[in-house]
Amino acid sequence: MTTAKEREANVLERLIGGEDKGLPVEAVGLTVGEYLASKPELSEFWTPLLVLSEDAMANNIAFMAGWLRERGLELMPHGKTTMAPQLWQQQLDAGATGITVANPSQLKVARAHGFDTLMLANQLVDQNAIRWVAGELEHANCTIWSWVDSADAVRLAEEALCGLYPARPLSVLVELGVPGRRTGARGVAAALEVAEAVAASPVLRLAGVAGYEGALGKDRTEPTVDLIRRYVADLLELHGKLGSRYGDGDVLVTCGGSNYPELVGELFAEARKADSARYVLRSGAYITHDDGAYHALSPFDRDRAGEEHRLVPAAHGLARVLSQPEPGLALLDGGKRDFPYDDGLPVPQFAVSNADGQVTALHGAVVSDMNDQHSFMRTAPGWEPTVGDLVPLGLSHPCTTFDKWRLIPAVQNLVPGEDAVITRLIETCF
């Protein structure tokens, strides 16, 4: 099995180019290893920039691993969040039992980087991809689970593999959905019909049930909490009714577990007491947490949890004041192509003076809008930065953060006004 040290060694050989956004021009033409050997500091990097905090990520990885271990649950973190094999390996080393991906292309990335235990949290309907997955199962150490929510998807798999003789049947989990939401069979009865089609298929193995409770709400009101509990209970009911239909091999019961992990965890932990199935959460965003969407909902956020039981933001944007064309408005040099904006805009945290490095608060400052390459920061009188000042930003929604960067600097921690030596560069594979 590949180790974290080996994965880091692979990245150290990567050549840095001018297209690697944010890296200083002095790094161009060097390998990552050569550049890191010069002990570069964060202040050398150009803005806009995304920076990761090593200690915050380590905290989050260790916390989630321990929380699940205490309940006898597994984690197959969603790799789409970071698409960074270095970070996937770090999660596996902490106890994760596999990596989840969202589509066949991400699955191909994972296989190319040597990951063997994978869940595709979606249906396989592209027949080229179906045949490729069947071919990957020729490798004895490779395990791939995918999802299915219709008899049509079963038929597509059978057509794709007609005349072929896979080493093993494809392991699929029946996905349970709810009306008006994402994918998934609409109700337990419909899911049972899908399961019957899978069980009768010569190329598929019925291997469990899957769902995503995070699509059911964006708040913690009582109706939303009740809806999520009922949904997870329905998933467990479906699992119970499929007991006699499962094929040989491991059986998985899986939910997301990012915004409502304690609700899923409570029901899963109780169910597994009388069951031999593997109960799996797939949270991916926990590794960096955030200052927006997950900060608002996660029970493990620092504003709700105790000091020893919390997630902390580990991804931060750095931007500079580019222009102050009128009172109360500062244009920052980072925009939609640099920072996430789909589930909350960046949050100005403070300003670092370009003149003397002094750190000042930005009371009342908000990002009100974003263009491709600019953010509109509204400021209160008396709390205005000046052109050239550095503005660290809290970010919202990790799943649309990493895709904008090819190499991301990581530092041990990010302290206002203080420089930091780069510990490593994280490579993404979008």
Side-chain angles (χ1 to χ4, degrees), residues 193-337:
E193 293 180 4
V194 176
E196 292 289 357
V198 173
S201 174
V203 299
L204 302 177
R205 178 180 81 89
L206 184 60
V209 296
Y212 176 54
E213 78 294 341
L216 304 184
K218 290 284 189 178
D219 57 57
R220 283 192 163 270
T221 61
E222 188 173 336
T224 297
V225 169
D226 288 344
L227 178 62
I228 289 170
R229 287 185 182 276
R230 291 198 303 271
Y231 172 75
V232 178
D234 286 346
L235 187 70
L236 294 173
E237 177 189 350
L238 172 62
H239 167 59
K241 290 182 175 181
L242 293 180
S244 63
R245 296 174 175 84
Y246 287 132
D248 295 336
D250 288 350
V251 172
L252 271 58
V253 180
T254 178
C255 268
S258 285
N259 277 332
Y260 307 98
E262 85 289 11
L263 303 180
V264 177
E266 174 191 349
L267 294 169
F268 272 20
E270 184 63 29
R272 70 168 294 276
K273 291 178 181 178
D275 191 4
S276 60
R278 297 167 57 183
Y279 285 79
V280 180
L281 272 63
R282 305 184 309 275
S283 174
Y286 82 96
I287 189 171
T288 59
H289 194 49
D290 74 5
D291 285 292
Y294 291 96
H295 164 66
L297 281 178
S298 173
F300 304 140
D301 183 77
R302 63 187 183 275
D303 285 354
R304 298 179 190 85
E307 189 70 22
E308 301 301 318
H309 304 283
R310 65 175 189 165
L311 300 175
V312 293
H316 307 273
L318 297 180
R320 291 192 182 277
V321 177
L322 187 69
S323 173
Q324 287 182 301
E326 60 190 66
L329 175 62
L331 277 298
L332 305 181
D333 65 356
K336 291 181 177 180
R337 289 183 172 170

Side-chain angles (χ1 to χ4, degrees), residues 311-391:
L311 300 175
V312 293
H316 307 273
L318 297 180
R320 291 192 182 277
V321 177
L322 187 69
S323 173
Q324 287 182 301
E326 60 190 66
L329 175 62
L331 277 298
L332 305 181
D333 65 356
K336 291 181 177 180
R337 289 183 172 170
D338 310 298
F339 307 126
Y341 58 91
D342 62 306
D343 200 4
L345 298 180
V347 180
Q349 296 178 318
F350 46 85
V352 181
S353 170
N354 185 56
D356 58 14
Q358 182 176 345
V359 177
T360 59
L362 288 173
H363 294 305
V366 297
V367 171
S368 62
D369 197 6
M370 297 175 77
N371 293 154
D372 290 349
Q373 313 291 177
H374 299 93
S375 292
F376 293 69
M377 186 173 73
R378 305 289 175 174
T379 58
W383 300 100
E384 297 174 329
T386 61
V387 171
D389 285 359
L390 185 70
V391 179

Side-chain angles (χ1 to χ4, degrees), residues 388-402:
D389 285 359
L390 185 70
V391 179
L393 299 165
L395 304 176
S396 179
H397 197 200
C399 295
T400 53
T401 298
F402 285 75

Side-chain angles (χ1 to χ4, degrees), residues 49-73:
L49 187 68
L50 176 67
V51 60
L52 300 175
S53 171
E54 295 274 25
D55 60 323
M57 287 193 297
N59 169 86
N60 297 344
I61 290 171
F63 166 74
M64 186 62 80
W67 188 87
L68 290 167
R69 185 168 54 248
E70 290 171 1
R71 289 156 180 79
L73 308 178

